[in-house]
């Protein structure tokens, strides 16, 4: 096993059987070796600093109907909201005062008639805080829309591919969505000049070991700048509401494998990790993650952005929230890195 891990660290790739072996190995010393190698690579690249991204949950209105997601169109139990431009700017202002230099606008997927409205908000943020990075996570759109938002000032785009396996993709999504189109969008985003993030949910219903191997191979070949991976967590008003949640351990193992494969990638220890386990966020960092995404959304809309049940919201909207995070990171010898935190190949 150590040979495999060393080879992955050295060559940044591994044959499918090797990846499968790393996903199934059970010896605790082997596992510890994998995790500690990933941690070392992460520290060599980023030190013990953790980048922050301020998450602004723009809207829970969505035209899509992904079977796992609590804000899917068919969920009639969730009150719908969309932040106003002024609310978004107030979130950024508050975040900027606290020291945030990246804002992430995430939300349900809208039709193109609203794309200009979003472009206008992006321009406002860009002009008001020229030193900040703007990340979008707003789903699938035509290439022209991605270009419009990029011209308006957006730098990065998160679009998890969710699974590279065609059959599994079709079990998780309505028939109108295809993996071919999802991957097309990721290619467009890269060609447009964004720093791009892809990724999956760990433990999604019907997921198999082979499908995870396929995902890792895809990520190694696509080389995203960012990798968004978190455990699946059921949301009670969705068709998958009774499926079990994914595992924190397996998610941390994936962070470690991907850290060795893509040493420079920006890998958040995701909110879903913190939701499933009190020390989930720290375990992700100790396995090679180097980003945390605290929530900057207005408090009264947070409950409605219910992608899954019991979603944790790290209260970073106040100085106390940042202090709590600082203290949490200090327990493992880490600290907040307040810089913009671009991908090393794209430092501006
Ligand atoms: N509409 C945007 C943003 C979706 S929410 C888009 O399509 O990209 C961001 C991510 O949350 C999704 O990509 C998905 O991987 C994750 N997510 C959604 N439902 C989830 C659930 N029940 N458990 C864990 N993660 C979930």
């Amino acid at each position: 096993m150590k040979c495999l891990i060393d080879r992955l660290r050295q060559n940044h790739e591994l044959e499918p059987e090797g990846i499968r072996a790393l996903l199934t190995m059970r010896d605790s010393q082997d596992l510890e070796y994998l995790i500690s190698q990933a941690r070392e690579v992460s520290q060599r690249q980023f030190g013990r600093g953790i980048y922050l991204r301020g998450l602004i949950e723009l809207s829970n209105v969505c035209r899509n109907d992904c079977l796992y997601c609590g804000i899917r169109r068919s969920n009639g139990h969730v009150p719908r909201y969309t932040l106003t431009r002024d609310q978004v700017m107030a979130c950024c202002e508050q975040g900027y005062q606290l020291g945030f230099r990246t804002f992430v606008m995430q939300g349900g997927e809208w039709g193109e008639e609203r794309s200009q409205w979003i472009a206008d908000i992006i321009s406002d943020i860009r002009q008001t805080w020229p030193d900040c990075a703007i990340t979008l996570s707003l789903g699938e759109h035509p290439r022209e829309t991605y270009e419009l938002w990029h011209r308006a000032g957006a730098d990065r785009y998160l679009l998890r591919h969710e699974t590279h396996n065609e059959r599994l993709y079709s079990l998780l999504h309505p028939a109108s969505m295809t993996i071919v189109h999802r991957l097309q969008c990721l290619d467009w985003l890269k060609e447009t000049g964004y720093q791009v993030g892809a990724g999956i949910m760990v433990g999604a219903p019907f997921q198999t070991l082979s499908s995870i191997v396929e995902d890792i191979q895809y990520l190694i070949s696509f080389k995203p700048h960012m990798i968004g991976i978190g455990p699946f967590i059921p949301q009670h008003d969705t068709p998958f509401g009774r499926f079990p949640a994914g595992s924190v351990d397996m998610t941390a193992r994936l962070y470690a494998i991907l850290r060795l494969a893509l040493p420079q990638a920006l890998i958040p220890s995701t909110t879903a990790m913190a939701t499933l386990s009190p020390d989930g966020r720290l375990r992700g960092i100790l396995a090679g993650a180097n980003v945390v995404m605290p929530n900057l959304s207005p408090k009264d809309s947070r409950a409605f952005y219910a992608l899954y049940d019991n979603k944790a919201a790290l209260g970073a909207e106040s100085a106390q929230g940042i202090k709590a995070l600082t203290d949490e990171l200090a327990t493992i010898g880490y600290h907040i890195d307040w810089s913009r935190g671009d991908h090393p190949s794209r430092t501006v």
Side-chain angles (χ1 to χ4, degrees):
M1 278 305 164
K2 289 202 171 140
C3 283
L4 274 184
I5 296 165
D6 291 342
R7 200 141 57 78
L8 176 61
R9 178 171 177 175
Q10 189 112 41
N11 304 340
H12 310 306
E13 60 184 7
L14 211 54
E15 64 288 347
E17 303 75 47
I19 297 173
R20 178 178 281 264
L22 294 185
L23 290 172
T24 49
M25 68 184 181
R26 303 183 73 136
D27 183 272
S28 60
Q29 280 184 350
D30 290 340
L31 259 176
E32 187 41 46
Y33 187 70
L34 170 69
I35 302 278
S36 63
Q37 288 296 300
R39 181 159 67 234
E40 198 182 300
V41 168
S42 183
Q43 287 180 3
R44 198 164 282 189
Q45 189 69 49
F46 302 102
R48 287 167 174 257
I50 297 296
Y51 296 134
L52 290 197
R53 318 304 196 198
L55 183 65
I56 301 167
E57 294 158 336
L58 183 65
S59 171
N60 67 354
V61 176
C62 191
R63 65 181 171 189
N64 259 338
D65 221 13
C66 307
L67 277 78
Y68 45 81
C69 185
I71 63 168
R72 68 200 300 265
R73 188 184 60 216
S74 319
N75 183 3
H77 295 286
V78 60
R80 303 288 169 167
Y81 76 90
T82 298
L83 299 184
T84 64
R85 177 195 162 283
D86 288 350
Q87 279 178 305
V88 174
M89 295 302 275
C91 294
C92 295
E93 174 60 32
Q94 199 173 25
Y96 193 86
Q97 294 301 333
L98 288 167
F100 284 79
R101 292 298 178 267
T102 294
F103 302 120
V104 182
M105 277 202 282
Q106 187 180 82
E109 216 174 87
W110 295 347
E112 301 317 313
E113 67 283 356
R114 307 293 305 271
S115 295
Q116 187 57 51
W117 183 80
I118 292 173
D120 292 343
I121 295 189
I122 296 168
S123 304
D124 282 353
I125 299 175
R126 173 55 57 241
Q127 278 162 29
T128 313
W129 298 283
D131 52 335
C132 289
I134 302 172
T135 306
L136 303 178
S137 177
L138 299 169
E140 297 181 16
H141 293 278
R143 184 181 192 129
E144 295 69 40
T145 301
Y146 291 147
E147 289 169 354
L148 171 74
W149 292 342
H150 191 250
R151 279 196 307 276
D155 308 279
R156 309 179 189 146
Y157 204 105
L158 304 171
L159 185 72
R160 293 189 182 175
H161 64 289
E162 312 295 358
T163 170
H164 189 266
N165 182 276
E166 196 171 346
R167 198 181 108 76
L168 179 57
Y169 195 92
S170 70
L171 291 171
L172 301 181
H173 298 101
S176 56
M177 292 177 75
T178 66
I179 182 59
V180 173
H181 191 253
R182 193 87 175 169
L183 299 180
Q184 173 68 264
C185 288
L186 282 161
D187 287 339
W188 284 338
L189 287 163
K190 222 182 205 183
E191 287 159 20
T192 303
Y194 287 95
Q195 294 173 53
V196 180
I200 63 167
M201 289 177 293
V202 174
F206 314 114
Q207 188 177 58
T208 62
L209 211 56
S210 305
S211 73
I212 300 181
V213 173
E214 213 178 312
D215 288 320
I216 294 175
Q217 285 180 287
Y218 166 69
L219 289 169
I220 290 176
S221 68
F222 181 64
K223 298 195 182 4
H225 306 86
M226 306 171 282
I227 299 175
I229 294 186
F232 163 77
I233 303 175
Q235 201 284 345
H236 63 277
D237 286 321
T238 64
F240 293 161
R242 288 172 174 277
F243 278 80
S247 119
V248 169
D249 284 340
M250 185 51 101
T251 307
R253 192 186 290 220
L254 285 188
Y255 292 166
I257 293 172
L258 289 162
R259 169 59 67 212
L260 295 180
L262 297 160
Q264 299 193 321
L266 300 156
I267 306 180
S269 189
T270 51
T271 306
M273 287 286 269
T275 301
L276 283 187
S277 167
D279 64 352
R281 204 183 332 260
L282 295 185
R283 277 161 68 192
I285 291 169
L286 291 172
N290 72 313
V291 174
V292 170
M293 297 173 67
N295 200 322
L296 288 179
S297 307
K299 274 214 166 107
D300 52 3
S301 67
R302 278 186 206 179
F304 303 134
Y305 198 77
L307 304 179
Y308 46 80
D309 290 336
N310 306 316
K311 185 159 144 280
L314 177 67
E317 72 291 337
S318 62
Q320 289 95 312
I322 294 297
K323 167 111 181 29
L325 177 60
T326 304
D327 292 347
E328 190 182 331
L329 292 175
T331 62
I332 53 167
Y334 282 66
H335 58 269
I336 295 172
D337 179 332
W338 288 106
S339 62
R340 245 176 77 128
D342 285 283
H343 188 271
S345 70
R346 300 283 285 277
T347 306
V348 286

